[in-house]
Amino acid sequence: MKIKMNEGFKRLKGNYVFADIRKKIAEKESKNLIDLSVGDAAYPIAKVVGEAMKKAADEMSGENFKGYPPASGYPFLKTAIKNYYIRKGVEVSESEVFVSDGAKSDIKRIVELFGDLTVTIFAPGYPPQYDCAALNNKKIEIIDLSKDLFVPNVNRVSEKPRLIFLCSPSNPCGTVISKAVLKGFVDYALKTSSMIVYDSAYADYIGIDYLKSGGVFCPYEVDGARKCVIEIRSLSKFASFTGIRCGWSVVPSELVTGGMRVSDFYTRKLSSEFNGVGYIVQRGAEAALSTEGEEYSKIIINIYLDNAYSLAKLLKTRGVKFFGGENSPYVFFEKPLSWGKIAAFDYLFNKFGIAVTPGEGFIAFGKDYARISCLKRKEEFFKALRILEKAF
Ligand code: MLT
């Protein structure tokens, strides 16, 4: 066969980081190993979500059977999403919401919406941002976050129209973009005709104190953002949906390029390539976004945040440089000098039976760092902490 593979594959850096870690864990075959690498949900879905999905499954096997869902989501879920935003003081209309099977798929689809342009990525960052842009043969500009305490700096972006990825709270760095910093990006985007893709997968981890003192729950709290920002949301880390798959993107009606509405193109694209998220899942998502569902999510999120807080406290007492640990379930730490030449992953994995994610796995500029995921059950995380006390 002479068919050429997508040239973009040549630009990918090895395997997807979590696939490699999974393999190493499987090879080690140790029952005592504690996995603090991938950020996967540790607690079950809320009862109200399970009940809603059971009811929906019953409907599907009876008179109320449903076939293809609408490609951009059922109206009932869009209304639940709208109401969830209203509870946070943000207005988004149903027609601007595009329900999806999660953030990765949305990143891919959004990148594909645009023609020949440069995609700007801040790194260390979420690998699908780079991988999807590379596989779509886009030009990519990677900006080193370590020069700015791991918070994106708009002054490092050259003044040309582009697609800019932002993620707040940051995966992997755990840092949060303030309203003032976001305003700088929005002003930049409006001035240069650029578009921002804002990944809010961890927005519900931002504490009320930070929100009151200069944070944002949603990018549309910033003036002008509705003209230049697409927001991506996920239920994975909010409602333990990592195995169920549901999220959404907001493409505001004011988002217009070349005189055309981006949401019209998105609708067109989805109808060609996506048959929507299943009815049962969407009913579960609706329940997760109800006030009852959200109350449960807050309890779980607070457990993960407590884990992160305790880890941050330990690292502080040991003088380890780190980011995150508050407003985020991730802690991004610099490898202590006392660990010598051995990589952080190997040190913790081989000597202490703890798997973390090497900073190198997050696109670029993470070489001396590693990420610890605090999305763990309390008991297991505290067991890990006792081990980490010996390691740091
Ligand atoms: C993470 O751990 O960073 C992600 O949740 C895993 C993923 O999206 O692949």
Side-chain angles (χ1 to χ4, degrees):
M1 225 189 262
K2 287 255 168 68
I3 294 172
K4 277 196 187 153
M5 297 302 289
N6 180 341
E7 290 289 310
F9 280 111
K10 292 190 187 145
R11 298 164 75 193
L12 301 189
K13 297 164 186 166
N15 293 325
Y16 190 58
V17 61
F18 299 110
D20 274 346
I21 296 172
R22 227 176 244 177
K23 197 162 157 238
K24 282 186 184 159
I25 291 174
E27 279 164 9
K28 199 165 169 89
E29 287 177 352
S30 162
K31 284 201 183 75
N32 295 324
L33 191 127
I34 301 183
D35 184 3
L36 305 180
S37 62
V38 68
D40 201 351
Y43 286 96
I45 53 173
K47 283 263 176 300
V48 67
V49 174
E51 292 305 328
M53 291 203 288
K54 277 184 215 157
K55 189 165 165 266
D58 284 344
E59 283 179 59
M60 290 299 256
S61 58
E63 285 304 304
N64 286 325
F65 165 78
K66 286 167 184 51
Y68 289 124
S72 67
Y74 279 106
F76 66 77
L77 179 53
K78 292 185 178 205
T79 302
I81 291 168
K82 179 182 160 174
N83 291 337
Y84 159 83
Y85 277 115
I86 287 175
R87 295 203 293 276
K88 318 283 176 192
V90 177
E91 255 183 71
V92 159
S93 83
E94 279 99 337
S95 60
E96 297 172 322
V97 171
F98 294 83
V99 174
S100 76
D101 57 341
K104 266 185 192 162
S105 313
D106 278 352
I107 289 173
K108 172 185 175 288
R109 291 187 195 115
I110 291 166
V111 165
E112 288 171 356
L113 269 177
F114 301 99
D116 187 21
L117 49 58
T118 298
V119 175
T120 294
I121 290 165
F122 289 89
Y126 187 42
Q129 296 175 357
Y130 176 87
D131 293 357
C132 294
L135 287 171
N136 194 238
N137 294 303
K138 294 280 194 282
K139 291 191 268 314
I140 302 176
E141 168 191 50
I142 305 180
I143 298 179
D144 183 358
L145 273 179
S146 69
K147 291 188 177 144
D148 299 298
L149 300 173
F150 297 100
V151 175
N153 179 350
V154 71
N155 298 321
R156 296 199 189 274
V157 189
S158 47
E159 297 221 348
K160 287 207 179 105
R162 59 191 61 239
L163 191 70
I164 303 168
F165 272 106
L166 295 176
C167 176
S168 176
S170 158
N171 179 9
C173 309
T175 45
V176 187
I177 293 177
S178 69
K179 196 170 190 171
V181 168
L182 180 55
K183 177 82 177 104
F185 275 95
V186 167
D187 290 346
Y188 165 92
L190 294 176
K191 193 168 94 191
T192 59
S193 277
S194 294
M195 195 86 72
I196 296 169
V197 181
Y198 197 89
D199 181 349
S200 295
Y202 300 92
D204 296 275
Y205 288 74
I206 306 176
I208 194 80
D209 291 345
Y210 186 72
L211 289 176
K212 280 188 187 154
S213 65
V216 275
F217 170 73
C218 167
Y220 305 120
E221 290 170 48
V222 170
D223 281 345
R226 287 183 53 89
K227 291 198 179 107
C228 60
V229 180
I230 297 177
E231 186 189 29
I232 296 177
R233 291 252 167 189
S234 161
L235 289 170
S236 287
K237 316 294 160 70
F238 169 71
S240 297
F241 266 49
T242 47
I244 298 172
R245 311 304 315 145
C246 195
W248 70 87
S249 284
V250 176
V251 187
S253 54
E254 288 99 311
L255 210 61
V256 172
T257 184
M260 313 222 247
R261 263 196 192 164
V262 177
S263 57
D264 290 344
F265 286 94
Y266 206 41
T267 304
R268 177 69 187 83
K269 191 170 192 300
L270 287 185
S271 57
S272 289
E273 65 183 35
F274 186 50
N275 269 335
V277 175
Y279 177 69
I280 299 170
V281 169
Q282 291 201 48
R283 280 293 182 199
E286 179 191 28
L289 292 164
S290 67
T291 42
E292 199 181 339
E294 191 176 354
E295 263 163 41
Y296 174 82
S297 289
K298 275 188 191 147
I299 294 169
I300 305 302
I301 286 173
N302 280 334
I303 295 174
Y304 297 148
L305 285 171
D306 268 357
N307 291 347
Y309 175 80
S310 306
L311 174 60
K313 204 164 137 199
L314 166 69
L315 297 183
K316 246 181 235 165
T317 59
R318 299 293 150 89
V320 177
K321 185 173 162 193
F322 70 94
F323 297 84
E326 53 181 0
N327 302 309
S328 158
Y330 296 131
V331 172
F332 201 57
F333 70 92
E334 190 178 40
K335 191 183 84 171
L337 282 175
S338 59
W339 292 6
K341 284 205 170 115
I342 181 165
F345 177 88
D346 294 332
Y347 188 83
L348 290 173
F349 192 70
N350 297 332
K351 278 191 156 189
F352 296 94
I354 302 259
V356 298
T357 311
E360 268 168 321
F362 295 104
I363 304 173
F365 306 118
K367 192 174 157 290
D368 298 324
Y369 285 81
R371 187 194 78 176
I372 294 181
S373 165
C374 303
L375 292 139
K376 277 279 152 192
R377 281 179 173 267
K378 199 158 200 59
E379 320 73 66
E380 199 181 6
F381 195 80
F382 276 77
K383 201 168 141 199
L385 261 188
R386 284 193 292 275
I387 300 171
L388 290 172
E389 275 168 11
K390 294 186 198 123
F392 284 103

